[in-house]
Amino acid sequence: MKAIVVERIGTPDVMELREVPRPAPRAGQVLLRVEAVGVNFADALSVGGQYLTATKVPYVPGMELAGTVVELGEGVTNVQVGQRVAALGGTGGLAEYAAVPAAGVVPVPESFTPAQAAAFPVSFMTAYHALKTLGRGEAGEWVLVQAAAGALGTASVQLAKALGMNVIALASTEEKLQLARNLGADVTILQDDPDRVQKVRDAAGGKGVPLLLEVVGGSRFDESLKMVAPLGRIIFIGNASREEVSMNPAALMKRNVSVIGLWLTSLMLDAEVSAAASQGLAPLIASGKVVPQVGPSYGLADSSRAFQDILDRKTTGKVVIEP
Ligand code: NDP
């Protein structure tokens, strides 16, 4: 079968399309015929050796995918052959077939296309945990969403609106801000607007936002501390800038601000927390209040371009690769 192989850490052009043996599902795994792969910023960081966990080469990237179950490994009872599913966790998605952990398999709503199914789990579960599990957001509260036109950003804007919150969206271009408005953002501000800090404070009633989803990090984090209201919560989800973040605890103390880290991978280990998020999302999906935003789609052979486009901030919504 065809697969993308990374032999050494580097820029996305190290990714090679190769002919490799089709994997056999081990105990606790299922084999999927891959129909679509959601590409996350984390995938691009992993190829470059910049992710939270060390990258082990050689490997086939792709942690979020949608497909049809074709074979069950020993002991698997939660899915059936022929079922359409999405899967997350691990690697191996950028291939015609992938063996994935059965524990990371989730059913797919009938109405979703394969691309929508692949665009859903990481961004929406992360957005839910940021807004509710950790953020404790309430209807009527203001939330600031950074990189609001991205995969996580479009999920966060929609979900926050569906939960009755007021949304301030930040993004780098007018076109991206328009997408955020289309999804319901109440206030949109350019990421590089010289008056952005004051504009955020003014929009949220003068003192800043009670909840802020941090995905850019780096030197922007200092500004986030100024944009958040006294007693506010910053959920630290990502450091897309890849710059060092420094934080003086005194700045948190003075205004009683909390900074809470979020990593979906470790939250997924808590079955109760994950089930609560799935239950919270289910009615919003069923009613069509939240819809995965599929961005540009690429073929397997163009995977390295897809990864580079994410790093270059050229994409909106979830980048999808369809083998
Ligand atoms: P996106 O589709 O949002 O793409 C990344 C976006 O980040 C860009 O489009 C860009 O938006 C913004 N950005 C800001 N500064 C930079 C920079 N210097 N270089 C590149 N991009 C930049 O990707 P994802 O939705 O996959 O991820 C968004 C963020 O959330 C990432 O930081 C990611 O690591 C994090 N994340 C973390 C998770 C967790 O479990 N902790 C789970 C999912 C995502 P703009 O041009 O508008 O600024």
Side-chain angles (χ1 to χ4, degrees), residues 39-43 45 51-52 122-123 126-127 146-154 170-173 176 191 214-217 220 236-243 261-267 309-319:
V39 185
N40 293 284
F41 200 76
D43 290 302
L45 293 180
Y51 193 49
L52 284 177
V122 170
S123 300
T126 304
Q146 295 179 338
L152 177 60
T154 52
L170 252 57
S172 61
T173 67
K176 289 183 175 186
Q191 166 88 5
E214 178 73 52
V215 299
V216 178
R220 295 286 176 151
F236 205 107
I237 311 169
N239 193 46
S241 66
R242 285 158 284 158
E243 296 167 1
L262 185 164
W263 192 29
L264 181 64
T265 304
S266 52
L267 277 172
D309 285 350
I310 292 191
L311 291 173
D312 292 343
R313 308 164 79 157
K314 287 185 181 161
T315 63
T316 58
K318 176 80 73 166
V319 171

Side-chain angles (χ1 to χ4, degrees), residues 83-104:
Q83 203 177 331
R84 283 184 68 223
V85 295
L88 73 165
T91 55
L94 285 174
E96 289 174 301
Y97 292 86
V100 299

Side-chain angles (χ1 to χ4, degrees), residues 174-193:
E174 267 305 334
E175 204 185 346
K176 289 183 175 186
L177 292 182
Q178 185 57 51
L179 173 57
R181 282 192 290 274
N182 294 348
L183 296 173
D186 300 279
V187 175
T188 55
I189 300 169
L190 279 172
Q191 166 88 5
D192 287 327
D193 185 320

Side-chain angles (χ1 to χ4, degrees), residues 48-60:
Q50 296 176 306
Y51 193 49
L52 284 177
T53 50
T55 309
K56 290 186 195 133
V57 288
Y59 80 113
V60 175

